[in-house]
Amino acid sequence: MENWTEIDRRVRLWIEEAGKAIRRSFKHSLSIQTKSNPNDLVTNIDKETERFFISNVRQTFPGHLILGEEGQGDHLSSLNGIVWIIDPIDGTMNFVHQQRHFAISIGVYEDGVGRLGYVYDVTHDELYCAERGKGAYMNGVQLPKLSSVPIEKALIAVNATWLVKNAYFDERKLVELATKVRGVRSYGSAALEMAYVASGRLDSYLTMRLSPWDFAAGKILIEEVGGVVSNLSGEPLDMLNRNSVFASSPGLHETILHHFLLEK
């Protein structure tokens, strides 16, 4: 049987250490590379931070598996056992250009079930964390359960690039939704935007395509405070592949799903 208290203690220590190293890097120049396209960036700090977490996990919990964004983890075909899903810097473009609005994201899953989730806003020193069945917290303060919000009072986050014509979704539905809600935001970090939904800073977050390391931790946070996370068709997320992601407070999730997202 796993000692989840010890795992939690270790993760917090590693996040604190990694956060300090990232903040120190603000004073130095970065080595920046592109991945799939010119807007998909990876820095030496991303790679160093992922290596730091992977090395610690392998040494401390040798039986655990790792799914990491920068490709230094394991090649997985299932989530059997205990799997760490790590994004060392979610929001790399923000990190490069602004040195804010990015986060460390870590989700720890057991046989496909989220057990521990962490989203750390490095610049603002805000740690969102959750353990399954024990609530979610931000810097030690428990987050209240989410309540339903009327759509006209909802503040939602949408990746702005999806509000123009794309091959994944009928953009007219999102434009219609944007005219109904109180406001629309885009922060450029899926992990932070999902943490904001969990904490009530946002009421909903929608995006067309995310990888597991982008949403693994945020999903645990949101579900622990009673929120709902699905794809844009209302189906469960595939934790090993890319998905559309729709995270929301209860009630509002159903309203948006049935009135704006599903085919009419």
Side-chain angles (χ1 to χ4, degrees):
M1 174 173 277
E2 292 297 324
N3 185 339
W4 294 103
T5 299
E6 177 61 14
I7 295 174
D8 173 66
R9 185 184 73 83
R10 295 280 186 164
V11 178
R12 290 170 183 270
L13 289 173
W14 297 339
I15 286 176
E16 181 180 6
E17 186 175 345
K20 290 178 180 178
I22 292 171
R23 285 190 292 270
R24 287 195 299 269
S25 78
F26 290 170
K27 301 175 182 179
H28 307 291
S29 60
L30 295 173
S31 170
I32 303 169
Q33 303 169 11
T34 60
K35 293 192 285 187
S36 61
N37 63 69
N39 294 324
D40 191 6
L41 304 177
V42 60
T43 71
N44 55 311
I45 306 302
D46 294 74
K47 294 179 179 180
E48 289 170 11
T49 304
E50 184 173 88
R51 280 196 295 269
F52 168 79
F53 283 114
I54 289 176
S55 174
N56 279 289
V57 172
R58 296 234 191 271
Q59 291 177 22
T60 311
F61 307 106
H64 295 187
L65 300 171
I66 300 167
L67 182 63
E69 179 177 15
E70 306 310 332
Q72 302 175 74
D74 300 296
H75 296 286
L76 303 179
S77 59
S78 77
L79 287 184
N80 293 338
I82 295 182
V83 179
W84 296 60
I85 306 179
I86 299 172
D87 193 341
I89 295 182
D90 181 76
T92 300
M93 191 177 296
N94 289 347
F95 171 63
V96 170
H97 287 275
Q98 302 173 342
Q99 296 184 341
R100 66 195 67 219
H101 302 309
F102 67 91
I104 296 170
S105 177
I106 299 175
V108 185
Y109 282 68
E110 182 181 36
D111 296 329
V113 177
R115 294 296 303 260
L116 298 169
Y118 307 84
V119 174
Y120 181 52
D121 183 336
V122 176
T123 304
H124 295 99
D125 191 27
E126 291 182 344
L127 176 61
Y128 301 83
C129 59
E131 180 175 355
R132 183 175 177 82
K134 295 187 178 181
Y137 295 78
M138 196 277 280
N139 284 358
V141 177
Q142 186 165 11
L143 299 176
K145 291 288 186 179
L146 297 178
S147 57
S148 182
V149 177
I151 194 163
E152 64 273 10
K153 294 183 179 181
L155 183 64
I156 71 172
V158 178
N159 187 322
T161 59
W162 301 116
L163 290 175
V164 298
K165 191 171 182 61
N166 64 84
Y168 301 96
F169 201 70
D170 183 350
E171 75 283 355
R172 292 172 296 180
K173 295 180 181 180
L174 290 182
V175 172
E176 181 185 359
L177 173 60
T179 64
K180 297 291 186 182
V181 298
R182 174 172 282 173
V184 180
R185 298 291 182 267
S186 181
Y187 295 95
S189 166
L192 278 183
E193 286 163 309
M194 294 184 77
Y196 290 169
V197 172
S199 64
R201 289 176 169 176
L202 290 170
D203 299 301
S204 186
Y205 170 60
L206 305 91
T207 190
M208 301 304 149
R209 189 175 65 233
L210 289 181
S211 296
W213 42 80
D214 298 312
F215 59 76
K219 180 176 184 291
I220 298 170
L221 292 170
I222 291 170
E223 291 178 344
E224 198 57 32
V225 293
V228 184
V229 182
S230 71
N231 65 20
L232 289 175
S233 298
E235 301 164 339
L237 298 183
D238 180 342
M239 298 304 300
L240 288 174
N241 295 291
R242 287 183 172 182
N243 298 251
S244 62
V245 174
F246 173 31
S248 186
S249 58
L252 182 63
H253 187 278
E254 183 178 358
T255 297
I256 293 176
L257 182 67
H258 290 286
H259 290 277
F260 296 96
L261 300 183
L262 298 180
E263 293 292 342
K264 298 177 182 178

